[in-house]
């Protein structure tokens, strides 16, 4: 599968994240972009200013936020690759703002908080009925649904980052999880072919499609209510970072796991996807223009709460979601804010 490639893809891999620059001072959020190299995150704007400012053609405004980075991905990715190499070699000396363990941000006392990796994309879209195992566990025909089902959700209120970020809606008694590979768009796509869509994939992250199972089915014969069932506030945690597609390899063969309170609930592979990532973006672009920075959830494999004996989520529950070569997203469920 093609993708937008940074120059010198043999160089040190990097990730992109967003952190709260005022987290340690108790002030209003100040979102800042970060580059992740070898298990640590660094303040990207500060590093660029101290190391590459003045380089011909370098526009620091293009790196002010991760959204700005993806809006100019063809121009920004080579510079980021260069910077990652300088960090790894020690040529650039900087203190990390966050150090990591097992791919999960360690946000202890005195460290900034990671937020959703893109604040905020123009669109957050999600695909349904896209894994063979999930269709089977729901008792549905295991086949390609046509037309491909997808829906939108409000990124500014539903997208959150790692940590104690997800609040259970008071209206539900069946709060559930779904772990999904999320695609980050790096080019404007409209009526794109599959090849064009593949070339427009900038990177990948992890998305959790939190679901109120008892609210999805609308009453009075109205069908499905995805707004209450899947798009309420904080119900789309994403992160902890975006990995450029060049460093992920074959995205169609990645293991997906999810643990709740240390118990394995999901264990599947992206090989089970019915619509692949490039096909998903191509189909979506026939209906709506995809823009750089847009985030696409690509469907969930088997292993939801309902399939595990009605073990619905409650305040204090801990979720650990991992996608091979993409990262680990840790979430703690909260009650009333």
């Amino acid at each position: 599968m093609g993708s937008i490639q940074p120059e010198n893809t043999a160089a040190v891999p990097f990730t992109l994240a967003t952190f709260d620059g005022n987290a340690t001072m108790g002030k209003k959020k100040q979102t800042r972009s970060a580059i992740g190299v070898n298990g640590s995150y660094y303040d990207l704007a500060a590093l660029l200013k101290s190391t590459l400012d003045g380089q011909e053609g370098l526009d620091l405004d293009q790196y002010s936020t991760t959204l700005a980075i993806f809006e100019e991905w063809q121009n920004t990715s080579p510079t980021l690759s260069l910077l990652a190499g300088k960090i790894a070699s020690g040529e650039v000396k900087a203190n990390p703002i966050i150090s990591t363990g097992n791919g999960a941000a360690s946000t202890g006392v005195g460290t900034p908080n990671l937020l959703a990796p893109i604040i905020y994309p123009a669109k957050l879209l999600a695909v349904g009925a896209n894994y063979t195992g999930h269709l089977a566990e729901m008792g549905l025909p295991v086949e390609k649904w046509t037309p491909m089902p997808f829906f939108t959700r409000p990124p500014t209120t539903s997208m959150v980052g790692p940590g104690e970020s997800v609040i259970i809606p008071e209206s539900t008694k069946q709060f559930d999880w779904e772990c999904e590979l999320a695609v980050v768009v790096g080019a404007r796509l409209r009526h794109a072919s599959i090849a064009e869509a593949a070339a427009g994939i900038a990177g990948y992250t992890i998305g959790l499609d939190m679901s109120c199972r008892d609210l999805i089915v609308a009453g009075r014969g109205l069908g499905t209510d995805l707004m209450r069932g899947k798009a309420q506030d904080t119900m789309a945690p994403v992160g902890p970072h975006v990995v450029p597609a060049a460093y992920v390899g074959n995205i169609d063969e990645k293991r997906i796991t999810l643990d709740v309170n240390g118990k394995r609930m999901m264990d599947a592979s992206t090989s089970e996807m019915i619509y692949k990532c490039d096909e998903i973006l191509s189909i979506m672009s026939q209906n709506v223009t995809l823009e750089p920075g847009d985030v696409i959830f690509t469907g969930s494999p088997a292993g939801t709460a309902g399939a595990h004996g009605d073990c619905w989520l409650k305040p204090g529950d801990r979720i650990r979601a991992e996608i091979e070569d993409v990262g680990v997203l840790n979430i703690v469920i909260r009650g009333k804010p």
Side-chain angles (χ1 to χ4, degrees):
M1 176 183 297
S3 59
I4 297 173
Q5 306 282 323
E7 288 184 0
N8 188 13
T9 56
V12 176
F14 65 89
T15 62
L16 292 167
T18 297
F19 71 97
D20 179 4
N22 278 330
T24 60
M25 295 179 282
K27 297 180 180 180
K28 184 178 179 180
K29 278 187 174 64
Q30 180 189 30
T31 58
R32 297 175 66 86
S33 56
I35 185 169
V37 179
N38 290 339
S40 295
Y41 295 106
Y42 300 84
D43 186 325
L44 179 55
L47 272 183
L48 285 172
K49 189 168 183 60
S50 65
T51 60
L52 299 179
D53 194 13
Q55 178 176 297
E56 184 177 354
L58 180 65
D59 180 0
L60 290 178
D61 288 342
Q62 292 181 342
Y63 303 87
S64 58
T65 65
T66 52
L67 181 58
I69 289 169
F70 287 113
E71 287 174 341
E72 299 292 337
W73 186 238
Q74 298 254 16
N75 297 323
T76 56
S77 57
T79 299
L80 295 169
S81 181
L82 174 66
L83 181 61
K86 289 178 178 292
I87 294 170
S89 69
E91 182 179 346
V92 169
K93 300 194 182 298
N95 293 322
I97 55 168
I98 303 175
S99 294
T100 64
N102 298 322
S106 173
T107 53
V109 176
T111 61
N113 291 324
L114 284 182
L115 307 173
I118 303 175
I119 307 282
Y120 288 102
K123 291 181 288 300
L124 172 61
L125 300 167
V127 177
N130 197 37
Y131 274 75
T132 56
H134 191 38
L135 287 170
E137 78 175 350
M138 292 189 296
L140 298 171
V142 179
E143 59 190 22
K144 179 177 281 190
W145 289 21
T146 52
M148 181 187 77
F150 72 96
F151 63 98
T152 186
R153 58 209 308 175
T156 57
T157 54
S158 63
M159 281 184 75
V160 291
E164 298 181 7
S165 54
V166 175
I167 301 171
I168 299 179
E170 293 184 50
S171 53
T172 185
K173 292 182 174 59
Q174 296 181 346
F175 200 51
D176 201 358
W177 60 80
E178 293 184 10
C179 180
E180 309 200 5
L181 174 71
V183 174
V184 177
V185 179
R188 185 178 177 85
L189 300 174
R190 179 61 172 156
H191 298 297
S193 67
I194 290 180
E196 289 168 337
I201 296 173
Y204 303 97
T205 186
I206 300 171
L208 296 182
D209 177 13
M210 310 306 294
S211 303
C212 302
R213 297 295 177 197
D214 49 348
L215 303 182
I216 291 176
V217 179
R220 299 181 181 274
L222 296 178
T224 302
D225 187 343
L226 293 177
M227 185 65 229
R228 291 178 178 82
K230 287 180 173 284
Q232 296 192 49
D233 290 352
T234 78
M235 285 178 58
V238 180
H241 51 229
V242 177
V243 182
Y247 304 125
V248 175
N250 183 5
I251 198 61
D252 297 330
E253 295 180 356
K254 299 301 177 183
R255 187 180 182 189
I256 300 177
T257 60
L258 181 141
D259 297 348
V260 179
N261 299 326
K263 182 178 180 181
R264 182 60 45 90
M265 295 298 191
M266 284 184 164
D267 195 341
S269 170
T270 56
S271 63
E272 298 176 33
M273 291 174 65
I274 299 172
Y275 288 96
K276 303 302 183 183
C277 295
D278 49 4
E279 189 177 9
I280 288 170
L281 267 60
S282 175
I283 291 171
M284 286 182 172
S285 77
Q286 311 307 316
N287 297 275
V288 61
T289 301
L290 297 179
E291 300 166 287
D294 283 355
V295 176
I296 316 297
F297 284 17
T298 60
S300 172
T304 61
H308 283 281
D310 294 338
C311 51
W312 309 111
L313 291 166
K314 60 186 182 303
D317 283 348
R318 296 178 176 272
I319 292 177
R320 182 186 187 276
E322 180 173 7
I323 299 180
E324 181 184 1
D325 294 329
V326 175
V328 177
L329 176 59
N330 285 311
I331 295 295
V332 180
I333 305 299
R334 298 165 53 196
K336 294 181 181 180

